[in-house]
Amino acid sequence: MHSSTAEKAQFDPLKQQLESTFGYHQFRDGQEDIMQAAMQGRDSLVLMPTGGGKSLCYQLPAICGDGLTLVISPLLSLMQDQVEALKALDISAATLHSGVSSQESMATMQGLQSGDIKLLYVSPERVLQPTFIERLQTLKLNFIAVDEAHCISQWGHDFRPEYGKLGVLRNYLPNVPFMALTATADSATQHDIIERLCLREPLVHRSSFDRPNIRYVVQEKYKPLKQVRDYVKKQKGAAGIIYCGSRKKTEELSESLQQAGVRAAPYHAGIEHQIKESTLRQFLRDDIDVVVATVAFGMGINKPNIRFVIHFDIPRSVESYYQETGRAGRDGLPAEAVMLYDPRDAQWIRRMIEDQENEQRRLVEAQKFSAMQAMAEAQTCRRLVVLNYFNEYSDKECGNCDLCLDPPQRYDGLEDAQKALSCVYRVGQQFGINHVVEVLRGSKAQRVLELGHDQLSTYGLGKSETQEHWFSVLRQLIHRGLILQDIRRFAALQLTDAARPVLKGEVPLELAKPRIELTATKTRITDRGDYNKILFRRLRKLRKDIADRDQVPPFVVFSDAALVEMCVHYPTTAKDMLEINGVGEVKLARYGNEFMQAVEAFLSGASERQLFNG
């Protein structure tokens, strides 16, 4: 048999299971090679963006093999979600962690011994227990998949000590191949993963880091509670995550959204475990629309229909930003990543980094944060900045970020800059941005009058412009290095040497007009013209009813992407239904009739206008 024929024969079961079990008609870039490596007993390091199909890389060879596949994952909720989704496809999967009852654990152990379980999800803490390692040595292991593998690295942005010790498994299971998977890893982290897991000549697959369906937007942080509240209300019930830098902010913002009628809840490490679990469950089941969280929330969250991610505060690295924004749009449909940026936040983070005792770690963190700040302050395509950071170089603008869609308008800003710089100087370089703006606009605030700043020559010089305008001008002058914010002195503004030629009018200066409102997206991000919106709403409601009946998250029934396809192709037969991506034989048998009936009912009652215009 020719090698190509042999390969084809070998991959027939993979292709067959891809279609019949998962309902997909073709592999994504790199998936087939990664699966082949696993089935041939070869180690691999898989770098794929969130939503790029990482889970399938180990799930498909697991069900095609005749032994057990062990999946090491950092979050109990993620393990539970994946097991639920696999069981819905009639795949024998189980999980072992601290939240599992002793009765369930015993049944799982028996299932392992009898060879009935195909995929077992465990936490790094559980897998390192000596008794568990002894048990693993008695089982037929296909391979071990290590998810969120960047946690292994000392340079990973979510360093977790137990992950760093997983390499010891090689001593006890020398012949079992490893598959390490992550959505974010720079070259130092990749090298660290290979070294710490003792990967032997691994296949290294690196997908493009580009997520073209996610729109990147950065806006000036001016009145953040109002900015976020107005934005979320425009989304009309779409699912989203808002990341905040402190627990207190998550609670304040969550309460503000609730008062505005948004189904929102806070999530942080200080909240009682049961409440956090309930919040996560409600979010996954579409009973809560928005979770306001610290970074404690979301790593590996298995919810494909998140339509927006907002960063209330700037993250500490591009890796963190990429990982967190990547939780939006995992179903491939349009999504948006919005960041509110204030240079003062950046100053505070730099101060915290400087307090780091480990010098090597301090240097790495400072370097990572500089790259993040550069992205926030960019005046060119944001996607290019992100992709370049991951060594994916391109000079073609993306057309789907705020700067591409709505390039900043420029104007001759010399006079405005001179007014702003003069005012900083006149108040003695001892006050922050708010006070300088109040003086410029001629405010009669008590503090301005008490200090006698209403007597200054710059008082009221800028009263013809809005507060937002002057905030933007001062921030741009900070970005350009004409002004420093002294964090040690309550963010007081101080002039640098670079301000002198501007004050004297010796150099020209162009500034960008301020961008305060979140208006880059004029319509809801989920609005697209190529599917029927009325039918989509009906199918979404049907999916929710079925999910509640079966006590599973709605995406376990069908993804939003599958529903959108149904609203384009109107499937009314089993053959039509199997053409929809994400509809395999198990889901066809379980849910197909109800959805086909809903489509038929819609078609019989729909006018031509409803059908084509939605």
Side-chain angles (χ1 to χ4, degrees), residues 2 11 21 28 57 112 130 136 226 234 243 316 327 357 375 421 455-456 460 479 482 520 560 596-597:
H2 294 297
F11 277 99
T21 303
R28 292 190 188 178
C57 289
L112 289 175
L136 287 178
K226 183 181 185 303
K234 281 179 194 167
Y243 286 107
R316 291 177 71 143
R327 287 161 196 155
E357 288 181 12
M375 186 271 180
L421 294 169
Q455 304 301 313
L456 297 175
H479 296 170
L482 277 65
D560 277 12
M596 287 188 286
Q597 285 166 14

Side-chain angles (χ1 to χ4, degrees), residues 135-155:
R135 176 62 64 96
L136 287 178
Q137 289 174 302
T138 68
L139 303 173
K140 183 179 185 335
L141 276 174
N142 283 336
F143 62 94
I144 296 173
V146 181
D147 209 359
E148 307 291 350
H150 58 274
C151 294
I152 289 165
S153 170
Q154 60 181 321
W155 310 121

